[in-house]
Amino acid sequence: MTPSPTAEITGLYRYPVKGLTPEPLPRAPLRVGQTLPADRRYAIENGPSGFEPESPQWKPKIQFLMLARNERLATLDSRFEDATNRLTIRENGQIVASGDLETAAGRAAIEGYFSANFQPELKGPPKLLSGRDHSFSDVARKVVSIINLGSVRAIETMLGGAAVHPLRFRANLYVQGWPAWSELDLVGQTLAIGQARLKVIKRIVRCPATNVDPETGKRDLEIPPTLSRNLGHMDCGIYAEVIADGEIGVGDEIAVEELV
């Protein structure tokens, strides 16, 4: 399968705290070797992980609170303010925790909420982690994740017409215009968005987090098993690394550069 020459970015999201609320962006700068600004900048440690903020190293997602195991996270509404580093968490419309994540007091305020409300799932005291420019991604490289909405529609067909909210896949970029599954053939190729360039490095293997409805927090679908039964794999979406700076935004064209 070969993608169409161009497609369009219809959604752009960051996830400041791993496992918490997606934040839509109209536009964002991309820098070589970096994620979207503040994407997965923080994580909530679930029991001791050995993470050292002064010398941050990648840790597997099982060390943190995450939707794959802690679907109640989806019922929280969180917002991060870049200017103040303040995270505010609401539950049922009410503020339940707020704090500057770059201060001990601010982190303690967030940790206190999770300590009091997530006890059945905690393996130890929850700890809000920050590692300067570290990214708490599911992979050890700093990446931008991309979902082809054509593939999401194909999954809906596999599920007998059940609606599949695209945010189940927690991507940075949502793209419309590629045939279903054609993005999986792009590994090794370069994507152009204005002046920005991204090298596709890996297909994304989906985990049980995609089974969780991002609005209700209910685990109501079986997406990885459905992919496995229908396609023989559990891949949906791609990871790419930024190899040339540029600003991107909703409505921008995304093209596959011709191989020479």
Side-chain angles (χ1 to χ4, degrees), residues 95-127:
I95 294 177
V96 293
S98 184
D100 179 345
L101 301 189
E102 294 301 319
T103 69
R107 292 190 294 272
I110 303 300
E111 293 163 357
Y113 169 78
F114 284 99
S115 180
N117 292 277
F118 277 69
Q119 279 301 328
E121 292 132 291
L122 295 177
K123 301 175 183 177
K127 185 176 181 182

Side-chain angles (χ1 to χ4, degrees), residues 54-110:
E54 297 304 319
S55 55
Q57 299 291 323
W58 181 84
K59 297 290 183 182
K61 61 185 176 182
I62 195 172
Q63 302 284 354
F64 312 111
L65 288 177
M66 56 174 180
L67 284 173
R69 291 192 173 183
N70 315 111
E71 62 267 27
R72 284 199 295 141
L73 294 172
T75 66
L76 305 177
D77 177 24
S78 65
R79 290 293 180 269
F80 178 73
E81 300 172 6
D82 294 273
T84 62
N85 299 312
R86 178 168 292 276
L87 179 73
T88 300
I89 301 176
R90 289 177 171 83
E91 189 172 8
N92 298 320
Q94 301 297 314
I95 294 177
V96 293
S98 184
D100 179 345
L101 301 189
E102 294 301 319
T103 69
R107 292 190 294 272
I110 303 300

Side-chain angles (χ1 to χ4, degrees), residues 2-13 145-156 164-166 171-183 186 191-193 237-238 249-256:
T2 302
S4 58
T6 60
E8 179 184 344
I9 298 173
T10 61
L12 182 62
Y13 291 84
S145 58
I146 304 171
I147 280 288
N148 174 10
L149 291 174
S151 300
V152 177
R153 302 288 84 82
I155 294 172
E156 290 180 331
V164 175
H165 198 308
N172 298 126
L173 276 64
Y174 290 90
V175 175
Q176 184 71 53
W178 287 338
W181 311 117
S182 60
E183 74 280 8
L186 291 177
L191 306 177
I193 312 171
I238 48 178
V250 174
D252 286 357
E253 286 192 343
I254 178 168
V256 181

Side-chain angles (χ1 to χ4, degrees), residues 20-43:
L20 295 187
T21 307
E23 295 188 357
L25 302 169
R27 302 194 65 77
L30 291 181
R31 298 291 178 260
V32 172
Q34 299 299 316
T35 64
L36 263 67
D39 188 53
R40 276 84 173 186
R41 179 176 168 183
Y42 303 97

Side-chain angles (χ1 to χ4, degrees), residues 33 137-146 183-191 197-204 237-243:
S137 171
D138 285 354
V139 294
R141 297 158 76 171
K142 290 186 178 180
V143 292
V144 173
S145 58
I146 304 171
E183 74 280 8
L184 301 181
D185 297 326
L186 291 177
V187 175
Q189 298 195 52
T190 299
L191 306 177
R197 296 293 183 272
L198 299 92
K199 181 72 171 290
V200 181
I201 62 165
K202 183 179 175 63
R203 291 156 58 148
I204 304 176
I238 48 178
Y239 288 125
E241 289 182 327
V242 180
I243 59 173

Side-chain angles (χ1 to χ4, degrees), residues 209-255:
T210 57
N211 296 336
V212 179
D213 187 305
E215 295 180 335
T216 67
K218 293 181 179 178
R219 199 176 294 273
D220 58 357
L221 295 177
E222 293 188 346
I223 288 179
T226 297
L227 291 172
S228 182
R229 285 194 301 270
N230 285 270
L231 302 177
H233 60 71
M234 296 189 294
D235 301 344
C236 181
I238 48 178
Y239 288 125
E241 289 182 327
V242 180
I243 59 173
D245 292 353
E247 185 175 271
I248 65 172
V250 174
D252 286 357
E253 286 192 343
I254 178 168

